[in-house]
């Protein structure tokens, strides 16, 4: 444990850096800058991150300490806060980046920070779940939960931004990138191919959990490409397909009827690329629709425990999948909308902005 004066000094540093203004970077700038990953550009990128990351990380650490309903004192939330404080210290105590060797050492360090924060989403979810249980006992579950929802939206959007900055910088060190790939951004990404990969992954989990899985039909031009971050698109489609497979599987599990397929349609519009994931899994009641994007809505009977034995990804978890997928879509100016017909099925519309021309600073 850090001694009290050291802890106080770190707390003062966090407060000072957390009050500074963060600098947004546009996607167009990322693409233009990243298309020339020279030693000088990588050095400039490291110097920028050396100043920018402590601001973003400090702001989150401060927010984690002042959450309503005593959420800040939940063990899972304290664990996340400690990860943020450790990362803040690592970057602040790293000397100025002046040479290629400094740059490589800095890159290695922020790579480790990204790994440290891999489990932030499920760990935060566990803390919120613990609070939800408590509030259910006192019957206060709806009072003030908007505040927690808004905090989680800000927190996760910021996390996407931090991971994008680190991931982009680290990926620019790839000595042999695929054609058209600039860091994390694939300028020639095929949404149909990503839909195929995400479908296979979701289907294998459904097979593992239920012993069978509905078919998935994908419609769209496999040769159509546009600039996007492949890992973001995969994450969103995986979540949507997984939800649809589960709904259909559970609806038809004990039925003699033919199991209808999940359908994915990719449309190339002038403004957006839109992907529709459509199922006949029985739909969601109209009264339940407003709740599907809140962080406390899950149809899972027993959400997984973070410190318990993990079976990897499951078909149903904490109910964070949809709100986080929507944030990923919104991060680049897109959106995620769900329409449902109770008694029939659900359509999810994933609207993706065309990235190449955006000069808007990213969150």
């Amino acid at each position: 444990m850090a001694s009290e004066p050291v802890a106080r000094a770190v707390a003062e540093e966090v407060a000072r850096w957390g009050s500074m203004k963060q600098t947004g970077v546009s996607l167009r700038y990322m693409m233009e800058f990243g298309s020339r990953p020279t030693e000088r550009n990588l050095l400039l990128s490291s110097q920028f991150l050396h100043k920018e990351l402590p601001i973003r990380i400090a702001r989150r650490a401060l927010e984690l300490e002042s959450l309503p309903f005593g959420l800040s004192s939940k063990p899972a939330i304290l664990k996340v806060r400690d990860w943020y404080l450790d990362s803040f210290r690592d970057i602040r105590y790293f000397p100025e980046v002046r040479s290629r060797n400094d740059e490589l050492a800095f890159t290695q360090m922020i790579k480790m920070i990204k790994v440290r924060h891999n489990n932030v989403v499920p760990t935060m979810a566990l803390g919120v779940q613990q609070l939800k249980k408590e509030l259910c006992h006192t019957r206060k579950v709806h009072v003030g939960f908007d505040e927690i929802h808004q905090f989680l939206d800000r927190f996760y959007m910021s996390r996407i931004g931090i991971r994008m900055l680190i991931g982009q910088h680290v990926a620019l060190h790839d000595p042999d990138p695929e054609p058209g790939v600039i860091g994390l951004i694939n300028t020639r990404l095929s949404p149909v191919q990503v839909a195929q990969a995400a479908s296979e992954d979701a289907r294998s989990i459904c097979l593992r959990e239920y012993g069978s899985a509905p078919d998935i039909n994908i419609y769209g031009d496999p040769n159509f490409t546009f600039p996007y971050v492949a890992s973001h698109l995969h994450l969103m489609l995986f979540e949507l397909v997984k939800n649809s497979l589960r709904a259909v599987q559970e609806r038809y599990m004990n039925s003699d009827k033919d199991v209808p397929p999940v359908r994915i349609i990719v449309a190339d519009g002038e403004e957006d690329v839109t992907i529709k994931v459509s199922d006949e899994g029985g739909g969601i009641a109209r009264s339940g629709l407003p709740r599907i994007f809140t962080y406390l809505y899950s149809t899972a009977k027993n959400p997984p425990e973070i410190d318990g034995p993990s079976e990897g990804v499951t078909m149903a978890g904490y109910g964070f999948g949809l709100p986080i997928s929507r944030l990923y879509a919104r991060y680049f100016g897109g959106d995620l909308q769900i329409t449902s017909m109770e008694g029939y099925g659900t359509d999810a519309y994933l609207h993706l902005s065309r990235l190449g021309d955006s000069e808007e600073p990213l969150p």
Side-chain angles (χ1 to χ4, degrees):
M1 277 297 287
S3 68
E4 209 175 301
V6 171
R8 200 179 307 121
V10 171
E12 284 167 8
E13 272 278 271
V14 168
R16 188 167 71 84
W17 281 80
S19 66
M20 294 181 194
K21 195 173 184 301
Q22 70 178 51
T23 306
V25 181
S26 77
L27 199 85
R28 171 180 272 193
Y29 180 78
M30 262 191 210
M31 285 166 74
E32 285 175 0
F33 185 87
S35 62
R36 303 180 303 280
T38 57
E39 271 187 35
R40 183 174 179 276
N41 275 357
L42 291 173
L43 190 66
L44 288 170
S45 174
S46 282
Q47 288 166 345
F48 168 71
L49 293 178
H50 195 223
K51 291 189 173 65
E52 181 63 17
L53 290 174
I55 297 172
R56 294 180 179 224
I57 289 169
R59 292 174 101 165
R60 301 288 74 82
L62 288 172
E63 231 181 348
L64 283 164
E65 287 178 345
S66 53
L67 298 176
F69 303 114
L71 182 57
S72 294
S73 61
K74 295 280 167 282
I77 306 298
L78 289 170
K79 187 188 276 192
V80 173
R81 189 208 61 187
D82 287 347
W83 289 337
Y84 274 78
L85 290 176
D86 288 346
S87 298
F88 176 81
R89 269 194 299 261
D90 286 349
I91 300 171
R92 281 297 298 128
Y93 295 157
F94 194 92
E96 224 176 306
V97 182
R98 289 184 171 161
S99 67
R100 176 164 164 73
N101 283 344
D102 293 348
E103 193 276 319
L104 291 172
F106 179 80
T107 301
Q108 205 49 43
M109 189 247 319
I110 60 172
K111 205 173 171 180
M112 293 309 295
I113 284 175
K114 192 163 179 264
V115 171
R116 175 188 287 148
H117 290 252
N118 277 351
N119 283 328
V120 160
V121 173
T123 311
M124 287 292 292
L126 181 65
V128 173
Q129 206 67 35
Q130 289 165 344
L131 178 68
K132 186 182 171 185
K133 262 185 204 165
E134 247 173 53
L135 292 180
C136 280
H137 292 317
T138 57
R139 309 209 175 274
K140 281 184 186 166
V141 87
H142 293 300
V143 184
F145 250 76
D146 281 356
E147 204 181 327
I148 287 178
H149 179 82
Q150 286 160 12
F151 155 72
L152 289 168
D153 263 355
R154 278 194 310 275
F155 183 83
Y156 288 127
M157 187 63 100
S158 165
R159 180 176 186 267
I160 294 168
I162 290 169
R163 290 178 83 77
M164 182 71 199
L165 288 176
I166 294 176
Q168 180 69 3
H169 176 82
V170 169
L172 288 175
H173 288 74
D174 183 350
D176 189 24
E178 281 179 45
V181 172
I182 301 168
L184 295 179
I185 305 153
N186 186 342
T187 62
R188 301 200 287 269
L189 186 68
S190 161
V192 167
Q193 282 180 11
V194 177
Q196 285 165 341
S199 296
E200 282 168 24
D201 290 350
R203 218 168 165 269
S204 69
I205 285 159
C206 188
L207 280 166
R208 187 186 72 199
E209 205 140 310
Y210 296 106
S212 63
D215 288 336
I216 299 168
N217 298 339
I218 301 172
Y219 305 90
D221 178 1
N223 297 315
F224 161 63
T225 64
F226 78 123
Y228 210 77
V229 176
S231 57
H232 288 195
L233 183 53
H234 186 284
L235 179 145
M236 293 183 280
L237 284 175
F238 172 77
E239 183 61 33
L240 295 175
V241 173
K242 179 168 69 75
N243 288 350
S244 285
L245 288 174
R246 177 169 165 257
V248 173
Q249 185 66 29
E250 296 200 343
R251 189 181 190 204
Y252 286 87
M253 210 154 29
N254 301 314
S255 166
D256 296 333
K257 293 178 184 171
D258 288 343
V259 178
V262 170
R263 291 181 301 281
I264 301 174
I265 300 151
V266 177
D268 166 21
E270 274 188 36
E271 189 177 311
D272 285 343
V273 173
T274 303
I275 303 174
K276 177 165 85 160
V277 179
S278 197
D279 70 59
E280 294 174 39
I284 301 159
R286 196 156 52 97
S287 60
L289 270 175
R291 294 208 310 275
I292 62 174
F293 286 113
T294 66
Y295 291 96
L296 295 156
Y297 178 80
S298 173
T299 50
K301 309 279 185 294
N302 299 299
E305 284 289 321
I306 264 305
D307 293 321
S310 171
E311 293 295 318
V313 180
T314 56
M315 290 300 280
Y318 291 102
F320 275 41
L322 280 178
I324 285 178
S325 294
R326 185 168 68 172
L327 290 179
Y328 270 97
R330 288 180 172 178
Y331 180 73
F332 287 128
D335 207 356
L336 171 61
Q337 291 165 333
I338 308 279
T339 59
S340 194
M341 189 187 279
E342 191 185 8
Y344 182 74
T346 302
D347 291 339
Y349 292 88
L350 186 56
H351 301 283
L352 307 169
S353 289
R354 295 179 170 280
L355 298 188
D357 301 325
S358 174
E359 294 194 30
E360 283 291 303
L362 295 167

